[in-house]
Amino acid sequence: MQRISSSLSSSSSWTLQVSVTLSYLLLILLLLQLLPIATLAFSVGIQTTVDNVLVTDSTSRSIRSICSSSSGTNVMRRGASSIPTYSKVPTSRTTIQSSSRLFDSSSASSTTDLSMNSSTNYNHNHNSNNNNTRDLEKGEERKDVSNGKHHVLSLQDDDAKKRAYRQQTPHSGRHFLPSHPAYHFNSSTRSNETKKGTLRQRISKFKQQSKNLILSKLPISRRHAYRNKHKRFMEGWYYRITLPEENVSFAFIFSIEDPNYKKTKKSHGNLLSLAAVQVMGPNDEYVVQADKDHSKFWASDTQQAFGCTFESSSSASSSSASSSSSSSSSSSSLHPVIDPEHFHTTVHTGFQMLPTRLQGKVNGHDGSLGGVLKGQGIPRTCEFDMTIRPLSGWGNDQDDNQKSTAGWLASFSVFEPHWQITLADARATGYATWNGKRYDFKNVPFYAEKNWGGAFPSKWYWVQCNSFEGFTCPEGSCRLSLTAGGGIRKIPFGKTEELGMVCVHLNGVFYEAVPWTGEMEWNVDPWGSWSFSAKCTSGERLFEVEVMAKCEEEGVVLRAPTPDLGLAYFCRDSFYANVELSLYEIDWDKDQRKYVRGNAILDKVKSIARTGAVEIGGGPYWNPWKGKSKMKEPLKTLVKLPYMLQK
């Protein structure tokens, strides 16, 4: 008996030692991830301080006069929020007009009230003989590639650090460094700089050398994945609007693949580099347009703002007039941020997302046939312009800080790929033209999310709906949004795990059933049926949720980023699903020693007829996929820490 006891004791001791060792190894891994970020933050701080000191006095005074103009054009709404302001300034470095005007999206669409929590100031640059302009987002000089007909904007440093609105989530900004010329240092513009400029160059060079030294020795975080230019990387944004009365939905999908990708002996260079837009519309049809020139894509690193001008109006007219001028005009089509009021006159084809404004002119082809590049399919067109009123990000509406969808470890390359819901619920007002037919809408449900990483999961599922019966109040006082999804993702040491989640936003209250706060089970058919059940047994509120989605339509096969083929057919979607949602309180039963169902919060609430979005991706999907979400230790405990402290 003593030997058995001794052996059991030694066995448990050995197991404990292994667990502790693994925990320490993971902790060391995270510290290694944090070290380069901290070092780079220090160097960036030095560079920013020097940049602020070296700005010329006249320019500094002019910028301050724009931001603090007393003319009444840059006024904050009292008791509510700030409005994005666009200030007209010429491109001269030393002379900046102090006059400004207020761009209020509600004035463009009087039915929409855009409430924002932080001011977002933009500089509106007009034509000037001096093409050297200051990129205010990066604090560096750049060569302005616009011409007199283009209206170009750039974010100011101070305001770019603020949230565009109170519900802004983590990871709203870009995770890649655009190859757009506005983001890169041009040494020729520094030829006449003073010694102060030389000092800035020295510090910039020291910063770059330090970064290269550190990042060549330590693991790379996907938060700054663009620093490793020898691996596949993609970033994509998804926006959906639902028009319940017309039983029509649109999805606007934007993606960038392998920007700044360097060719090596073991890689294919930039063969998969691509800037693309896919628009899914009525009857589950869709249009695609793409360009191999990813340098046309720009993005903000602090807010959800990005865009791509495939072809500007000026270059389109010049190319039609003379084929010889097409090559010279291609460079002039590279623009930074464009004033929304001038977007449709400036852009011939392209798109732009500002925090509360989505615009686009797509002149592509039927995405279900052919390739993705110009001339590889049957021509199709789509044009859209809408203002967005945020309601729910990812968390409780009253919370000052919203949550990461995959937990706080999403900032590191622990999981792959990454997923963030940026707006679980919002309202949109504007129009969309689909192959010549125009759809006008006012205060319709709007949803937004994004992905980034090496590629999409090898297999996944997804259900989304924010158009439930009795929960589509135009003002947003009574609203309900569901997001459910899961799949197979990568974790450290070459392993994978199957995970899933079901999350609900009900009138501003967030119900989060994720692997680190409870359990979740799914049953997904190869197509037509999605069934989920989940419990949250840790955190702010305890609950159980059940979801059933059915789709009788065939759906459409969409493209998604893949590891080896780039943007290829990889998933099936439909906007014509019926969704049923139930939500219950749960309580701990001491006698049964388990959680039991309590009062019903939502009892079989149905979506407005056929307005749910469903998707399956990857595969294979030969048989129904049944699974239970099991997050592996010690990752589960690490992600769960904030919830344990909260409890």
Side-chain angles (χ1 to χ4, degrees), residues 274-278 286 288-292 364-367 369-377 559 567-569:
L274 196 71
V277 53
Q278 300 179 81
Y286 99 100
V288 60
Q289 184 176 4
D291 198 316
K292 296 290 290 183
H365 55 270
D366 186 347
L369 301 170
V372 298
L373 299 178
K374 187 175 181 179
Q376 295 183 348
R559 293 175 171 88
L567 193 64
Y569 293 115

Side-chain angles (χ1 to χ4, degrees), residues 354-542:
L354 297 181
T356 56
R357 188 73 178 267
L358 178 60
Q359 297 171 290
K361 298 173 71 175
V362 181
N363 186 10
H365 55 270
D366 186 347
S368 61
L369 301 170
V372 298
L373 299 178
K374 187 175 181 179
Q376 295 183 348
I378 302 173
R380 294 285 186 269
T381 60
C382 178
E383 183 174 327
F384 48 92
D385 192 341
M386 67 195 74
T387 55
I388 303 160
R389 180 161 53 92
L391 296 175
S392 298
W394 195 249
N396 297 309
D397 285 4
Q398 74 273 12
D399 292 346
D400 293 332
N401 296 316
Q402 297 293 289
K403 298 181 178 181
S404 293
T405 303
W408 65 274
L409 284 179
S411 295
F412 309 100
S413 56
V414 177
F415 308 125
E416 179 77 16
H418 302 278
W419 181 32
Q420 176 68 51
I421 285 83
T422 54
L423 279 174
D425 202 8
R427 294 293 179 265
T429 297
Y431 75 90
T433 302
W434 183 259
N435 294 324
K437 182 177 181 180
R438 179 176 172 124
Y439 296 84
D440 293 286
F441 48 87
K442 176 181 176 182
N443 290 326
V444 298
F446 180 92
Y447 169 86
E449 67 175 45
K450 65 176 296 187
N451 300 90
W452 67 97
F456 269 42
S458 59
K459 189 176 183 179
W460 76 91
Y461 55 85
W462 175 79
V463 172
Q464 186 275 328
C465 184
N466 55 347
S467 53
F468 287 92
E469 294 178 352
F471 290 93
T472 56
C473 302
E475 70 281 1
S477 59
C478 183
R479 62 187 189 274
L480 174 63
S481 176
L482 163 71
T483 307
I488 302 174
R489 69 177 181 183
K490 296 180 181 179
I491 58 176
F493 309 113
K495 303 294 184 180
T496 61
E497 61 182 1
E498 297 183 359
L499 296 177
M501 67 160 208
V502 181
C503 296
V504 177
H505 286 79
L506 174 60
N507 296 329
V509 179
F510 185 42
Y511 294 87
E512 183 185 29
V514 287
W516 50 91
T517 63
E519 57 188 34
M520 185 264 196
E521 296 182 1
W522 64 86
N523 186 355
V524 179
D525 284 352
W527 183 254
S529 177
W530 293 254
S531 177
F532 313 123
S533 62
K535 290 181 180 179
C536 176
T537 57
S538 177
E540 187 176 355
R541 54 185 58 88
L542 309 182

Side-chain angles (χ1 to χ4, degrees), residues 151-434:
H151 302 267
V152 182
L153 305 170
S154 57
L155 253 66
Q156 292 185 14
D157 259 340
D158 294 338
D159 297 308
K161 297 176 182 178
K162 299 179 181 179
R163 290 182 297 176
Y165 41 82
R166 182 171 52 84
Q167 302 92 335
Q168 180 172 310
T169 65
H171 310 292
S172 291
R174 58 174 166 80
H175 289 257
F176 73 101
L177 177 62
S179 52
H180 191 290
Y183 291 82
H184 298 276
F185 178 82
N186 188 347
S187 59
S188 64
T189 65
R190 297 284 191 176
S191 58
N192 297 324
E193 283 291 332
T194 62
K195 292 182 179 180
K196 292 182 179 180
T198 303
L199 175 61
R200 183 188 300 168
Q201 290 179 3
R202 290 176 179 176
I203 294 177
S204 178
K205 184 178 180 180
F206 172 77
K207 168 188 170 184
Q208 185 65 36
Q209 290 176 344
S210 301
K211 179 174 70 174
N212 293 339
L213 177 62
I214 293 171
L215 296 179
S216 63
K217 303 296 182 182
L218 299 176
I220 306 299
S221 167
R222 274 296 181 190
R223 174 69 178 103
H224 305 282
Y226 57 78
R227 291 176 185 155
N228 190 336
K229 300 178 182 180
H230 304 287
K231 293 183 179 180
R232 283 275 291 147
F233 182 77
M234 67 83 193
E235 191 159 0
W237 298 261
Y238 178 99
Y239 303 98
R240 183 194 177 209
I241 58 170
T242 305
L243 284 59
E245 295 181 358
E246 297 167 323
N247 195 20
V248 168
S249 292
F250 289 89
F252 310 96
I253 311 167
F254 313 101
S255 59
I256 179 75
E257 294 186 62
D258 289 346
N260 289 296
Y261 195 92
K262 288 186 176 180
K263 185 175 181 179
T264 64
K265 294 181 179 179
K266 296 181 179 180
S267 71
H268 300 288
N270 60 351
L271 294 179
L272 300 181
S273 297
L274 196 71
V277 53
Q278 300 179 81
V279 182
M280 188 174 168
N283 302 316
D284 283 344
E285 299 175 351
Y286 99 100
V287 59
V288 60
Q289 184 176 4
D291 198 316
K292 296 290 290 183
D293 186 1
H294 52 81
S295 66
K296 298 178 180 180
F297 202 109
W298 64 266
S300 167
D301 63 347
T302 57
Q303 300 173 359
Q304 194 154 182
F306 60 87
C308 177
T309 301
F310 293 122
E311 189 176 13
S312 66
S313 297
S314 60
S315 62
S317 59
S318 63
S319 62
S320 61
S322 173
S323 60
S324 62
S325 63
S326 61
S327 59
S328 62
S329 64
S330 60
S331 61
S332 65
S333 64
L334 305 177
H335 309 301
V337 192
I338 301 173
D339 186 336
E341 289 189 344
H342 299 283
F343 178 85
H344 294 283
T345 57
T346 302
V347 176
H348 180 63
T349 60
F351 55 86
Q352 176 172 273
M353 173 65 186
L354 297 181
T356 56
R357 188 73 178 267
L358 178 60
Q359 297 171 290
K361 298 173 71 175
V362 181
N363 186 10
H365 55 270
D366 186 347
S368 61
L369 301 170
V372 298
L373 299 178
K374 187 175 181 179
Q376 295 183 348
I378 302 173
R380 294 285 186 269
T381 60
C382 178
E383 183 174 327
F384 48 92
D385 192 341
M386 67 195 74
T387 55
I388 303 160
R389 180 161 53 92
L391 296 175
S392 298
W394 195 249
N396 297 309
D397 285 4
Q398 74 273 12
D399 292 346
D400 293 332
N401 296 316
Q402 297 293 289
K403 298 181 178 181
S404 293
T405 303
W408 65 274
L409 284 179
S411 295
F412 309 100
S413 56
V414 177
F415 308 125
E416 179 77 16
H418 302 278
W419 181 32
Q420 176 68 51
I421 285 83
T422 54
L423 279 174
D425 202 8
R427 294 293 179 265
T429 297
Y431 75 90
T433 302
W434 183 259

